């Protein structure tokens, strides 16, 4: 009934599964005949499906699912459930399939990828990390082989040759970051043969909500060698001695920090009597602010860890190390100075692309995840994707016990430890989800002190995550883990070999405990979903306190409650307040996503203009034609002295250089414009309108300027030892390039930061 109402109202999540369900009996009817075929005949049956275009007609869809089911049974010893075939059909129609944990998303995704590939489409199966990309590709390889489909994978260690080979396969598994970095590198090549990524066709996104929503605004960056950013160790030492509330204040949301009058005086004295607000030297105050942000707002083992002498960021939505991710604008160097580690390499941004823009390159998109409905509106708004809610193969019998609310964090921890001890007595395995490294380690100490041995999984030991998660269902196991999203390993009752399954089932299955509610209900759902897999018994229970960050930051006026003797708040109104705080947090995340998308729309339009022009230069003769027209005499001289081919190549290299150099400079301008655009707020003008108003006219002369500079360089070009050396006219590529992810807007938007400073900063005469 609920689905019918959603369809009637046109609400997201209303994909009608009935057309797919009607095909299930026909698919099953084909099963006996297909079992009579030998492997080569089954492969031939799959290949015959390629003799048509997309989309699949009804009869061909039945054949694909029937052949895929039989191939999976033979190759993987897994016969797909009917609900998995519903997922396959939803993916082939370009939907996001919501399938609960343990329902077989990996196999459904592989069968859909094969279905697209058999019809001549190149498929990229986008994963959240390298481990899952390699694991899933190798796991599904026998299935692909039997269906006559080639498969490859890439990770951060793949060489250009290995990447090129993987991309030539029908289906390529890759982490979203690696796909983005390859696209960025391809945009800078000066020879067509150096490109590795073919034109995009189909993207199937695993953990779609995590990739398409949580990381949608994250810029992937290609940087080139430039002057290094130096972290000011002296400044870090100065702010380390400042005292909160006396020398600086942090706003209620923990997003902004400001010096007080006493703080300003203390810093100016420590720096030898300088004036932080002097117009003669404006470089000192930004350094102070960066050091103060690093000191007061970024916490070790919450926002980052220090491993092997390096500062490594923690992915907030996954609780694991964010590989190749860093903060922008000198903040990374400030944190490194704070931790007294070597400052990492920095450089100028050559180009960037957001995850959202990367995925939107694909003409057809689909995805799968366990928690899509909570972001169905965003998937529709930003990607034109609809959610198909796939029923579970067996009824979910997990009992979700809601939330227990306590006045203080200490009382919450006491109650949680007592509950874990109570459950542990029964032998049931227990999984405790925390939000960061510090929480996981604190809770592990509390449990150990109570005589409860536990295994900890967090960003410090995430290399061991597969083995830890695989054994989390063992009888008597207690596992403490940061965010469970994208872990990619099922928790089987009885352990990885399920030796104690019957005993664990009899005891009640996995008991999931949440150490606080997350800023997103989806993350709560992902943690709960670890219990109750495939009809298993299980329970979930969350513990929250009034001084949890979620409550403090999003429901700050929370006073006047009454508690029981152990500090528990049982009033339904206050429990509803926790749900409200979570909705506020989700709304803030959505607004950041929406604003980032709006800013990037214009940038993407301008980038597309440059890329289209660059493509004509790279693959055609446009560079040569332009310089021949603009510098006809010099062009004719060089062709008389050498030959047309070498002159055309030099013209191409020079033109590409000035296009790329111009785009790098324009990127820097846009970044600076965006950082300062909040000043328009004071004049009651819309910052986004102001951004567009200034960015558009600046770009109007971009291509003409690049052409002019190329012509000027070509005019000065000389023949050296019988060759044209473009380096003599300044055409040099960066001596080194590297890729990373920017942790965009780590505290707030520039507007929020500025308004916060207006509210909290003292005036200076």
């Amino acid at each position: 009934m609920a689905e019918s109402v959603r369809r009637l109202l046109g609400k997201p999540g209303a994909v009608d599964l009935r057309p797919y369900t009607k095909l299930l009996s026909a698919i099953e009817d084909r099963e006996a005949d297909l079992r009579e075929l030998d492997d080569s005949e089954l492969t031939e049956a799959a290949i015959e499906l390629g003799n048509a275009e997309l989309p699949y007609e009804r009869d061909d869809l039945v054949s694909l699912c029937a052949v895929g089911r039989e191939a999976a049974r033979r190759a993987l010893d897994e016969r797909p459930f009917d609900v998995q075939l519903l997922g396959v059909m939803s993916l082939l129609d370009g939907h996001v399939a919501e399938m609960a944990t343990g329902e077989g998303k990996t196999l459904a995704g592989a069968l859909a990828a094969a279905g697209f590939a058999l019809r001549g489409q190149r498929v990229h199966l986008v994963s959240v990390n390298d481990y899952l990309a390699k694991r899933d590709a190798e796991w599904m390889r026998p299935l692909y082989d039997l269906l006559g489909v080639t498969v490859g994978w890439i990770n951060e260690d793949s060489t250009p040759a290995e990447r090129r080979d993987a991309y030539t396969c029908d289906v390529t598994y890759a982490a979203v970051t690696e796909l983005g970095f390859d696209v960025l590198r391809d945009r800078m090549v000066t020879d067509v043969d150096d490109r590795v990524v073919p034109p995009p066709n189909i993207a199937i996104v695993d953990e779609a909500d995590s990739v398409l929503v949580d990381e949608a605004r994250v810029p992937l960056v290609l940087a080139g060698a430039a002057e290094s950013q130096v972290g000011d160790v002296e400044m870090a030492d100065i702010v380390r001695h400042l005292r909160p509330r006396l020398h600086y204040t942090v706003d209620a949301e923990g997003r902004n920090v400001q010096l007080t009058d006493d703080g300003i005086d203390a810093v100016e004295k420590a720096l030898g009597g300088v004036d932080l607000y002097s117009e003669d030297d404006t470089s000192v105050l930004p350094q102070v602010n960066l050091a103060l942000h690093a000191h007061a707002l970024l916490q070790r083992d919450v926002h980052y860890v220090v491993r092997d002498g390096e500062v490594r960021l923690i992915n907030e939505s996954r609780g694991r190390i964010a590989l190749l991710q860093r903060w922008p604008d000198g903040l990374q160097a400030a944190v490194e100075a704070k931790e007294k580690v070597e400052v990492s390499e920095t450089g100028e941004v050559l180009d960037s692309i957001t995850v959202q823009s990367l995925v939107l390159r694909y003409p057809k998109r689909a995805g799968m995840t366990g928690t899509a409905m909570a972001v169905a509106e965003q998937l529709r708004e930003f990607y034109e994707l609809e959610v198909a809610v796939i029923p579970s193969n067996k009824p979910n019998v997990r009992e979700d016990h809601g939330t227990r609310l306590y006045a203080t964090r200490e009382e919450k921890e006491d109650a949680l430890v007592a509950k874990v001890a109570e459950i542990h007595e029964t032998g049931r395995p227990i999984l405790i989800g925390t939000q960061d490294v510090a929480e996981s380690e604190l809770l592990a100490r509390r449990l150990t002190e109570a005589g409860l041995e536990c295994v900890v999984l967090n960003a410090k030991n995430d290399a061991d995550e597969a083995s830890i998660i695989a054994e989390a269902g063992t009888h008597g196991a207690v596992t403490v883990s940061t965010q469970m999203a994208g872990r990619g390993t099922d928790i089987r009752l009885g352990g990885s070999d399920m030796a104690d399954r019957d005993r664990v089932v009899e005891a009640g299955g996995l008991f999931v405990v949440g150490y606080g509610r997350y800023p997103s209900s989806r993350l709560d759902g992902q943690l709960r979903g670890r219990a109750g897999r495939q009809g298993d018994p299980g329970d979930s229970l969350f513990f929250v306190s009034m001084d949890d960050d979620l409550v403090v930051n999003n429901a700050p006026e929370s006073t006047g409650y009454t508690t029981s003797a152990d500090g528990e708040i049982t009033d339904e109104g206050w429990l509803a307040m926790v749900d409200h705080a979570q909705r506020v947090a989700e709304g803030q995340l959505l607004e950041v996503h929406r604003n980032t998308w709006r800013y990037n729309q214009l940038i993407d339009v301008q980038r597309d203009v440059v890329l289209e022009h660059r493509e004509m230069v790279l693959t055609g003769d446009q560079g040569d034609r332009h310089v021949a027209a603009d510098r006809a005499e010099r062009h004719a001289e060089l062709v008389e002295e050498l030959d047309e081919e070498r002159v055309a190549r030099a013209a191409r290299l020079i033109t590409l250089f000035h296009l790329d150099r111009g785009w790098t400079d324009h990127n820097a301008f846009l970044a600076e414009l965006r950082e300062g655009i909040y000043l328009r707020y004071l004049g009651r003008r819309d910052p986004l309108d102001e951004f567009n108003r200034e960015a558009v006219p600046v770009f109007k002369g971009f291509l003409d300027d690049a052409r002019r500079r190329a012509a000027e360089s070509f005019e000065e070009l000389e023949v050296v030892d019988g060759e044209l050396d473009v380096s003599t006219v300044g055409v040099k590529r960066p001596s080194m390039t590297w890729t990373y992810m920017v942790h965009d807007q780590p505290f707030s938007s520039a507007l929020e930061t500025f308004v916060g400073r207006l509210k909290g900063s003292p005036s200076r005469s």
Side-chain angles (χ1 to χ4, degrees):
M1 178 63 72
E3 291 182 6
S4 299
V5 172
R6 295 187 72 85
R7 283 195 294 272
L8 182 64
L9 298 177
K11 293 288 187 179
V15 171
D16 189 357
L17 299 181
R18 288 176 297 181
Y20 308 143
T21 304
K22 291 177 181 178
L23 302 182
L24 293 176
S25 59
I27 294 170
E28 187 170 357
D29 290 343
R30 295 281 312 277
E31 197 161 357
D33 290 340
L34 289 171
R35 289 202 178 189
E36 297 298 320
L37 302 180
D38 62 27
D39 286 357
S40 62
E41 291 171 329
L42 187 66
T43 301
E44 184 61 32
I47 293 174
E48 286 178 2
L49 289 167
N51 297 325
E53 302 293 328
L54 289 173
Y56 276 87
E57 298 296 333
R58 179 186 183 281
D59 290 343
D60 283 349
L61 194 56
V62 169
S63 297
L64 172 68
C65 289
V67 170
R69 170 178 272 173
E70 176 61 17
R73 188 189 67 81
R74 295 186 192 187
L76 305 173
D77 195 26
E78 294 185 26
R79 178 186 179 275
F81 304 124
D82 283 352
V83 292
Q84 286 175 286
L85 298 183
L86 295 179
V88 172
M89 291 184 273
S90 299
L91 293 171
L92 287 169
D93 273 347
H95 300 312
V96 173
E98 180 178 274
M99 300 174 67
T101 300
E103 291 293 314
K105 291 189 291 291
T106 303
L107 178 53
L111 289 173
F116 283 124
L118 288 169
R119 295 251 154 131
Q121 298 296 302
R122 186 179 297 107
V123 184
H124 291 168
L125 218 152
V126 185
S127 183
V128 293
N129 59 46
D130 284 349
Y131 163 74
L132 291 179
K134 178 180 179 181
R135 186 205 70 174
D136 291 353
E138 294 300 329
W139 179 13
M140 294 292 118
R141 184 180 296 279
L143 171 66
Y144 286 118
D145 289 345
L146 191 51
L147 292 172
V149 173
T150 59
V151 61
W153 55 268
I154 61 172
N155 63 23
E156 65 174 326
D157 297 324
S158 299
T159 65
E162 290 169 337
R163 291 172 187 271
R164 195 172 289 109
D165 288 344
Y167 283 122
T168 62
C169 294
D170 300 323
V171 179
T172 307
Y173 284 73
V176 64
T177 49
E178 289 305 310
L179 281 171
F181 294 149
D182 282 342
V183 168
L184 288 173
R185 284 187 286 258
D186 276 3
R187 288 177 176 177
M188 301 296 291
V189 300
T190 57
D191 192 307
V192 174
D193 293 338
D194 291 335
R195 293 198 289 205
V196 300
V197 186
N201 288 158
I202 308 286
I204 299 178
V205 184
D206 194 10
E207 301 293 346
D209 56 336
S210 180
V211 172
L212 300 180
V213 176
D214 295 336
E215 294 187 354
R217 66 183 187 275
V218 177
L220 309 176
V221 173
L222 176 68
E227 184 177 352
S228 293
Q229 185 88 40
V230 178
D232 196 324
V233 176
E234 178 190 12
M235 205 69 75
D237 287 337
I238 290 173
V239 301
R240 187 177 287 115
H241 291 91
L242 299 181
R243 294 165 56 189
R245 291 183 294 279
L246 173 61
H247 295 123
Y248 63 85
T249 58
V250 177
D251 68 6
E253 291 78 21
R255 294 184 173 188
N256 303 305
V257 57
Q258 299 92 26
L259 289 170
T260 64
D261 278 330
D262 288 339
I264 293 171
D265 292 340
V267 171
E268 289 179 340
K269 181 178 180 181
L271 290 173
V274 304
D275 181 356
L276 290 180
Y277 293 85
S278 170
E279 296 181 359
D280 297 330
D281 185 359
T282 59
S283 64
V284 179
L285 184 59
Q287 294 176 37
V288 174
N289 285 334
L290 282 171
L292 189 58
H293 271 84
H295 171 72
L297 298 181
L298 294 178
Q299 302 174 46
R300 183 169 177 167
D301 292 342
V302 175
H303 301 102
Y304 65 91
V305 297
V306 178
R307 180 190 288 181
D308 301 327
E310 296 180 358
V311 170
R312 302 193 179 186
L313 276 66
I314 297 175
N315 185 303
E316 294 178 3
S317 64
R318 298 186 203 144
R320 56 166 65 85
I321 294 295
L323 295 174
L324 303 176
Q325 193 164 334
R326 60 187 293 118
W327 288 293
D329 302 328
L331 186 58
Q332 180 79 19
V335 176
E336 289 164 341
K338 166 189 172 182
E339 296 295 343
K340 300 181 180 179
V341 301
E342 184 178 351
V343 175
S344 59
E345 197 88 45
T346 60
E348 62 181 352
V349 174
L350 304 179
D351 197 6
S352 66
I353 185 172
T354 62
V355 170
Q356 180 166 336
S357 296
L358 173 68
V359 174
L360 287 174
R361 293 174 68 249
Y362 293 85
K364 192 174 186 68
R365 304 170 288 276
M368 48 195 178
T369 181
T371 46
M373 278 299 295
V375 289
E377 293 276 5
Q378 295 183 57
L379 293 173
R380 172 185 281 183
E381 177 180 353
F382 299 117
Y383 301 96
E384 298 180 351
L385 288 170
E386 297 294 337
V387 175
V389 180
I390 309 299
S392 57
N393 184 51
K394 296 180 180 179
N396 181 4
V397 297
R398 183 186 68 240
E399 292 191 41
D400 297 322
H401 300 284
T403 299
R404 289 188 183 177
L405 179 61
Y406 292 83
T408 67
R409 188 166 300 187
E410 183 177 1
E411 290 167 329
K412 176 185 79 170
E413 290 169 3
D414 289 343
L416 186 151
V417 171
K419 185 64 176 179
V420 170
E422 174 192 334
I423 300 299
H424 185 62
E425 285 291 320
T426 69
R428 295 180 67 178
I430 302 169
L431 173 67
I432 308 171
T434 65
Q435 300 193 38
D436 55 56
V437 175
E439 284 185 355
S440 66
E441 294 183 339
L442 180 152
L443 189 55
R445 287 194 297 271
R446 288 291 310 268
L447 292 170
T448 301
E449 290 168 0
L452 298 165
E453 294 299 321
C454 62
V455 177
V456 179
L457 172 60
N458 58 36
K460 291 185 176 180
N461 66 336
D462 56 5
D464 303 321
E465 71 171 64
S467 58
I468 293 174
I469 293 298
E471 301 305 329
T474 304
H475 188 270
V478 179
T479 307
V480 179
S481 175
T482 50
Q483 178 49 239
M484 293 298 298
R487 293 293 182 189
T489 303
D490 288 340
I491 298 178
R492 299 176 184 271
L493 299 187
S496 58
D497 59 1
M498 298 196 291
D500 281 335
R501 175 176 170 77
D502 291 344
R503 184 159 60 141
V504 173
V505 169
E506 186 177 349
L510 180 68
F511 199 106
V512 168
V513 177
Y515 181 83
R517 295 271 294 276
Y518 292 93
S520 165
S521 60
R522 286 183 300 111
L523 302 183
D524 290 351
Q526 288 164 0
L527 178 59
R528 288 191 191 97
R530 288 294 174 166
R533 172 187 174 274
Q534 281 289 330
D536 288 341
D539 293 79
S540 73
L541 174 63
F542 281 74
F543 289 80
V544 175
S545 69
M546 296 297 287
D547 51 8
D548 281 1
D549 290 343
L550 177 69
V551 177
V552 172
N553 294 341
N554 301 291
E557 302 302 323
S558 302
T559 57
Y561 48 81
T562 58
T563 66
S564 60
D566 61 356
E568 185 174 5
I569 303 168
T570 58
D571 185 277
E572 291 295 329
W574 290 106
L575 289 169
M577 175 273 302
V578 177
D579 295 332
H580 172 74
Q582 189 176 62
R583 287 193 295 272
V584 170
E586 289 175 328
Q588 291 173 346
L589 292 172
L590 172 58
E591 194 58 26
V592 170
H593 184 176
R594 187 172 283 133
N595 284 332
T596 303
W597 175 69
R598 288 168 177 164
Y599 275 103
N600 277 293
Q601 272 191 307
L602 173 66
I603 299 173
D604 285 345
V605 168
Q606 295 181 344
R607 180 183 286 108
D608 288 343
V609 171
V610 177
L611 290 176
E612 182 180 359
H613 190 79
R614 193 183 196 280
E615 184 71 9
M616 290 189 289
V617 175
L618 179 66
T619 61
D621 63 349
Q622 183 155 306
D624 187 49
R625 287 192 294 104
H626 280 179
V627 296
D630 298 340
R631 295 293 188 271
E633 184 176 343
R634 183 58 181 151
H635 186 272
E637 289 175 359
L638 291 174
V639 172
E640 287 167 10
E641 185 173 354
L642 298 172
D643 58 66
E644 291 184 359
E645 183 178 344
R646 282 187 284 179
V647 174
R649 180 178 183 276
R652 184 180 79 243
L653 293 175
I654 289 172
T655 305
L656 290 175
F657 170 80
H658 285 293
L659 281 171
D660 295 341
R661 180 69 258 172
W663 181 248
T664 297
D665 294 341
H666 189 65
N667 257 330
F669 163 76
L670 292 175
E672 184 176 346
L673 175 62
R674 183 173 172 181
E675 287 299 314
I677 206 69
Y678 58 83
L679 293 171
R680 309 302 199 280
Y681 181 77
L682 297 180
R684 297 185 180 279
R685 289 176 286 178
D686 181 81
L688 180 61
D689 289 343
E690 293 299 304
F691 178 82
N692 290 341
R693 189 178 65 81
E694 293 203 16
V696 169
V698 169
F699 183 73
K700 280 185 177 179
F702 180 93
L703 295 180
D704 290 338
D705 288 344
R707 178 173 177 172
R708 175 181 52 78
R709 289 193 296 268
E712 292 171 353
S713 295
F714 187 84
E715 181 70 34
E716 302 299 320
L717 193 60
E718 296 181 359
V719 179
V720 179
D721 297 329
E723 295 293 337
L724 288 172
D725 185 359
V726 295
S727 66
T728 60
V729 291
V731 176
K732 295 181 180 179
R733 292 283 158 179
S735 58
M736 182 174 73
T737 62
W738 61 95
T739 52
Y740 59 87
M741 299 174 70
V742 174
H743 190 81
D744 197 26
Q745 299 178 335
F747 315 115
S748 63
S749 69
L751 173 61
E752 291 171 321
T753 302
F754 184 69
V755 173
R757 287 173 180 162
L758 287 180
K759 292 178 180 177
S761 297
S763 60
R764 300 286 288 180
S765 58

